[in-house]
């Protein structure tokens, strides 16, 4: 491939930036910045980031505990260059300074592979390339890796790299993750190359909260009507309810391409309150099971990319929760240590040489910190594999009396509630990104207020809603560690042909001086759209009153339930605006239409043992 170079930027701080327009196989040119150490002698290993957020834009994910001011991507690239790398940062197709039409996620496999081919042909490249990036810039890494490009030696994936976007990131349990709609509106305004000024102003003035309260939308009647390419891809994802060839594309389905990463060192890092926690553990398992000796995983008590603060939401995990000082001097140093080993042959520092590093939450004082957060505490642990050695998968059975017990109830019973799509259960924290200002990630006391988006009076504990079933253990007599994947198996029925069931795992604190009513701290949650109960590929409606078994798979977690606490499981049928609300009619996915109230039931006891299976560490 040839290149079209612009004038090189002046050398600054010992690093020179050059801007190129790199041609793709279809003739589209992508804006690409190259950072080289001044006075370099000979070719260097190369680090690559491909981003839709602006190749030299400020990013709040690039900061340290010592300096919380966000850095620009160019500043990070310059630090890497000073450490002896050639660094390439590129705008994705159709974003900021790059040509072409943006279709979220798609096309990144070929564009990434073409970019890497261009890199390895340059005189400043020694043939060894590493990739890095968070979220979308992690998705672009697994996309290009699927093409088996020559020269790819190491990757640092944080909070992304879809193992299966259908199972987490775009859809979850068959439901659609509405963060995708918030992301589309925000980013069409900021980086689209296709918008005129009038359309840009219309998008900027759209009230996302008002639009969400008007759901469901339709094509041409959504806040993205002024950005048709964004509206088109959003509805394209929303309407594709079944797992088909669309979801098997390499940009969305790393699980179908793990063989392409044989011999590539992969660091996987994520937080417990991140929508890509499941993707991270799935990718680890998929690569480790192929015998990849260069795969590592780090799981912290963080929301999306917020690795340099000790809290997530309204809960504090102590100073050890911060990456800086616990795992590396800072995030830049951690990535440099990874690439220095795999691209330069330096030894791996202690901590990065272990298969799994995870933060077990819990063990704090339970008091309110000076900043007003719950002191939940926690500490780092190491393990050789995932799931963790010494894990017993223990079932806890739901009882009609609201109990949660290791013993299954002897008699059959049922609990029912009315699910009204016009009054969904509001989202209070969880594994979220790109949801602001409608929803925020992290751990919170599960109580709604007038500030909770979508909540309706009377406000208060979600457990008091008539459409939330609550199951909890007796007060624990000993500490209990739960670390790993969780499954909720329910026997359910409904008056509707299709409906949703949700489940949320909670660490229930007892009343205290600081929290007189206790504290219901959410740990993880999930959802299942019943039409997909038997198959993701072939949806099947329910018969009214038919009792069926479903399985809900929330994000993995790690928590120490302290003596005196309770384990609680909340079951309902909605979590809005995290997920789209089921109309209970069996209508096609992503369509507008009437909504009806469903009478939903959970069956338990003899022959229908509804239960949550917890990974208990011995």
């Amino acid at each position: 491939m040839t290149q079209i170079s612009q004038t090189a930027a002046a050398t600054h701080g010992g690093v020179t930036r050059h801007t190129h327009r790199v041609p793709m196989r279809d003739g589209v040119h992508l804006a690409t910045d190259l950072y080289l150490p001044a006075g370099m002698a000979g070719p260097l290993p190369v680090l690559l980031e491909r981003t839709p957020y602006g190749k030299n834009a400020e990013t709040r994910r690039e900061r340290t505990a010592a300096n919380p001011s966000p850095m620009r991507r160019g500043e990070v690239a310059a630090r890497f260059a000073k450490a002896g790398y050639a660094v390439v940062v590129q705008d994705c197709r159709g974003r900021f300074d790059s040509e072409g039409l943006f279709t979220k996620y798609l096309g990144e496999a070929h564009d990434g592979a073409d970019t890497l081919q261009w890199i390895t042909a340059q005189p400043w490249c020694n043939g060894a390339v590493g990739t890095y990036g968070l979220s979308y810039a992690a998705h672009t890494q697994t996309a290009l890796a699927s093409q088996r490009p020559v020269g790819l030696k190491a990757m640092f994936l944080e909070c992304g790299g879809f193992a299966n976007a259908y199972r987490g990131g775009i859809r979850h349990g068959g439901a659609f993750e509405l963060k995708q709609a918030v992301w589309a509106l925000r980013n069409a305004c900021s980086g689209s190359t296709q918008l005129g000024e009038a359309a840009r102003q219309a998008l900027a003035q759209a009230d996302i909260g008002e639009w969400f309260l008007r759901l469901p939308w339709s094509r041409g009647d959504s806040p993205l009507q002024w950005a048709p390419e964004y509206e088109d891809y959003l509805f394209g994802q929303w309407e594709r309810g079944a797992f088909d060839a669309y979801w098997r594309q390499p940009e969305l389905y790393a699980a179908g391409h793990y063989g392409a990463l044989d011999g590539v060192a992969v660091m996987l890092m994520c937080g417990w309150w991140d929508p890509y926690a499941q993707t991270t553990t799935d990718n680890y398992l998929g690569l480790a099971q192929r015998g990849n000796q260069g795969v590592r995983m780090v799981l912290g008590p963080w929301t999306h990319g917020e690795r340099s603060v000790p809290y997530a939401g309204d809960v504090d995990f102590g100073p050890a929760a911060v990456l800086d000082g616990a795992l590396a001097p800072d995030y830049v140093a951690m990535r440099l240590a990874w690439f220095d080993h795999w691209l330069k042959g330096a030894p791996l520092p202690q901590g990065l040489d272990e298969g799994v590093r995870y933060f077990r939450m819990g063990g704090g004082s339970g008091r309110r910190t000076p900043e007003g957060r719950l002191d939940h505490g926690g500490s780092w642990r190491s393990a050789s594999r995932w799931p963790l050695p010494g894990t017993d998968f223990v079932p806890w059975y739901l009882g009609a009396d609201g109990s949660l017990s290791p013993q299954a109830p002897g008699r059959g019973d049922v609990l029912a509630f009315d699910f009204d799509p016009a009054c969904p259960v509001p989202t209070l924290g969880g594994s979220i990104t790109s949801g602001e200002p409608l929803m925020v990630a992290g751990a919170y006391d599960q109580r709604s207020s007038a500030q909770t988006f979508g909540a309706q009076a009377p406000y208060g504990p979600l457990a008091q809603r008539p459409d939330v079933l609550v199951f909890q253990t007796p007060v624990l007599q000993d500490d209990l560690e739960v670390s790993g994947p969780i499954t909720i198996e329910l026997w359910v029925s409904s008056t509707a042909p299709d409906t949703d069931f949700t489940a949320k795992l909670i660490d229930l604190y007892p009343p205290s001086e600081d929290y007189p009513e206790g504290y219901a701290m959410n740990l993880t949650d999930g959802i299942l759209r019943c039409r997909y109960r038997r198959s993701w590929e072939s949806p099947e409606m329910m018969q009214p009153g038919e009792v069926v078994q479903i399985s809900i798979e929330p994000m993995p977690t790690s928590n120490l339930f302290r003596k005196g606490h309770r384990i609680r499981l909340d079951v309902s049928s909605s979590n809005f605006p995290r997920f789209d609300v089921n109309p209970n009619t069996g209508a096609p996915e992503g369509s507008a239409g009437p909504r009806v109230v469903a009478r939903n039931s959970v069956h338990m006891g003899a022959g229908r043992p509804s239960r949550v299976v917890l990974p208990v560490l011995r």
Side-chain angles (χ1 to χ4, degrees):
M1 294 183 182
T2 59
Q3 69 188 54
I4 302 174
S5 297
Q6 296 179 341
T7 303
T11 300
H12 179 73
V15 175
T16 301
R17 186 184 75 182
H18 307 256
T19 298
H20 301 273
R21 302 193 68 78
V22 177
M24 301 294 102
R25 64 189 66 186
D26 61 354
V28 167
H29 292 79
L30 303 188
T32 306
D33 285 346
L34 167 66
Y35 296 81
L36 295 172
M40 60 176 285
L44 299 172
V46 179
L47 301 182
L48 167 66
E49 179 182 18
R50 303 189 62 253
T51 176
Y53 299 118
K55 55 186 171 59
N56 195 29
E58 187 178 272
T59 168
R60 65 188 179 94
R61 310 302 186 193
E62 289 285 4
R63 55 182 179 172
T64 66
N67 181 13
S69 299
M71 291 187 285
R72 292 185 175 275
R73 285 187 175 81
E75 294 178 68
V76 177
R79 284 188 62 179
F80 290 154
K82 289 178 182 178
Y85 291 91
V87 186
V88 175
V89 187
Q90 183 179 75
D91 284 336
C92 290
R93 176 182 295 250
R95 297 290 296 168
F96 291 92
D97 294 333
S98 284
E99 300 171 355
L101 186 68
F102 178 73
T103 302
K104 193 178 184 186
Y105 305 128
L106 303 185
E108 304 295 0
H110 286 166
D111 286 354
D114 290 353
T115 299
L116 204 144
Q117 182 181 348
W118 173 81
I119 288 171
T120 55
Q122 304 308 307
W124 36 261
C125 175
N126 72 357
V129 180
T131 60
Y132 68 95
L134 163 84
S135 194
Y136 197 108
H139 304 325
T140 61
Q141 293 182 64
T142 49
L144 75 85
S146 72
Q147 305 302 293
R148 301 177 184 266
V150 174
L152 181 62
K153 304 298 183 185
M155 307 166 71
F156 199 115
L157 297 163
E158 186 186 8
C159 306
F162 288 127
N164 184 341
Y166 179 87
R167 298 291 302 278
I170 299 179
R171 307 193 79 90
H172 182 89
F176 188 68
E177 298 188 32
L178 289 175
K179 69 181 178 69
Q180 293 289 346
V182 181
W183 190 99
L185 181 63
R186 180 189 302 157
N187 287 278
C189 285
S190 65
S192 172
T193 62
Q194 305 294 316
L195 290 186
E197 186 56 33
R200 198 177 303 276
Q201 289 183 10
L203 280 171
Q205 293 169 5
D207 185 329
I208 186 64
E210 179 182 330
W211 274 102
F212 262 59
L213 294 176
R214 288 173 53 185
L215 281 164
W217 304 332
S218 58
R219 292 175 186 262
D221 184 24
S222 83
L224 290 164
Q225 59 191 277
W226 299 283
E229 73 275 21
Y230 284 71
E231 185 180 62
D232 185 60
Y233 88 67
L234 179 70
F235 275 90
Q237 295 172 349
W238 205 335
E239 294 164 353
R240 286 183 170 90
F243 184 67
D244 57 16
Y246 175 88
W247 299 105
R248 292 185 175 90
Q249 295 179 88
E251 293 88 351
L252 306 177
Y253 192 49
H257 302 273
Y258 287 144
L261 278 74
D262 288 349
V264 179
V266 183
M267 169 61 79
L268 301 156
M269 190 165 83
C270 200
W272 295 127
W273 277 282
D274 192 290
Y276 301 114
Q278 185 71 55
T279 266
T280 300
T281 56
D282 284 353
N283 281 339
Y284 177 84
L285 280 170
L287 296 173
Q289 288 170 356
R290 291 187 60 85
N292 188 328
Q293 299 300 307
V295 63
R296 305 287 189 275
M297 182 168 67
V298 174
L299 296 163
W302 310 314
T303 58
H304 195 65
E306 296 293 345
R307 66 196 86 76
S308 293
V309 296
Y311 58 85
D314 274 349
V315 175
D316 193 286
F317 302 101
V322 178
L323 179 149
D324 312 56
L327 302 180
D330 62 30
Y331 184 43
V332 171
M334 184 178 186
R335 286 172 288 181
L336 278 174
W338 180 253
F339 290 123
D340 283 351
H341 175 70
W342 296 106
L343 302 183
K344 294 183 178 182
L348 269 178
Q350 186 177 4
L352 293 184
D353 58 348
E354 297 165 304
V356 177
R357 292 291 300 276
Y358 71 100
F359 192 91
R360 187 193 70 182
M361 302 177 289
S365 69
R367 300 298 303 271
R368 190 187 301 271
T369 69
E371 295 76 25
R373 297 186 177 93
L374 172 73
D375 175 23
H376 190 63
S379 58
W380 287 99
R381 298 285 193 270
S382 299
S384 59
R385 64 180 186 271
W386 182 271
L388 305 173
T391 300
D392 291 328
F393 289 92
V394 179
W396 295 70
Y397 295 92
L398 283 58
D401 58 354
S403 62
L404 194 60
S405 169
Q407 287 76 43
R411 51 170 289 183
D413 219 325
V414 60
L415 293 176
F417 59 91
D418 289 332
F419 163 38
D420 183 355
C423 186
V425 177
T427 298
L428 281 174
S431 302
I432 299 166
T433 185
S434 303
E436 298 88 350
L438 307 184
M439 49 184 163
V440 292
Y444 294 87
D445 193 7
Q446 294 298 289
R447 300 169 184 269
S448 67
S449 69
Q451 286 70 49
T452 306
F453 180 80
Q456 301 178 22
Y459 308 113
L462 296 186
Q464 293 181 2
R465 287 179 58 112
D467 57 353
V468 176
L469 303 180
V470 177
F471 305 90
Q472 60 188 27
T473 66
V475 173
L476 296 176
Q477 299 303 305
D478 297 289
D479 291 352
L480 183 73
E481 178 176 345
V482 170
S483 295
I486 293 164
T487 305
I488 297 98
E489 301 167 355
L490 302 178
W491 290 85
V492 302
S493 61
S494 177
T495 57
D498 182 49
T499 192
D500 293 348
F501 281 89
T502 63
K504 182 184 297 179
L505 184 67
I506 290 169
D507 186 343
L508 185 60
Y509 273 74
S512 66
E513 180 181 353
D514 288 339
Y515 299 98
E517 298 181 53
Y519 195 103
M521 174 187 163
N522 59 302
L523 291 170
T524 185
D525 62 82
I527 191 169
L528 192 282
R529 186 148 293 170
C530 287
R531 68 177 71 181
Y532 306 109
R533 66 194 180 278
R534 292 193 176 101
S535 168
W536 303 116
E537 292 86 355
S538 302
E540 177 185 343
M541 297 299 161
M542 302 167 66
Q543 297 300 316
E546 175 190 15
V547 181
V548 299
Q549 186 178 24
I550 66 170
S551 180
I552 299 173
E553 298 180 3
M555 296 292 162
T557 192
S558 176
N559 186 66
L560 181 67
F561 290 88
R562 295 299 303 274
K563 176 182 177 181
H565 292 209
R566 298 174 189 260
I567 302 171
R568 191 173 104 187
L569 185 74
D570 289 359
V571 175
S572 190
S573 287
S574 54
N575 184 351
F576 175 79
R578 185 179 173 197
F579 301 114
D580 65 335
V581 179
N582 197 317
N584 295 328
T585 61
E589 297 281 15
S591 63
R595 299 181 290 182
V596 300
V597 176
R599 183 71 172 172
N600 288 348
S601 301
V602 176
H603 301 256
M604 58 207 77
R608 293 166 177 169
S610 291
R611 62 187 190 172
V612 54
V613 181
L614 298 178
V616 176
L617 210 63
R618 295 193 294 272

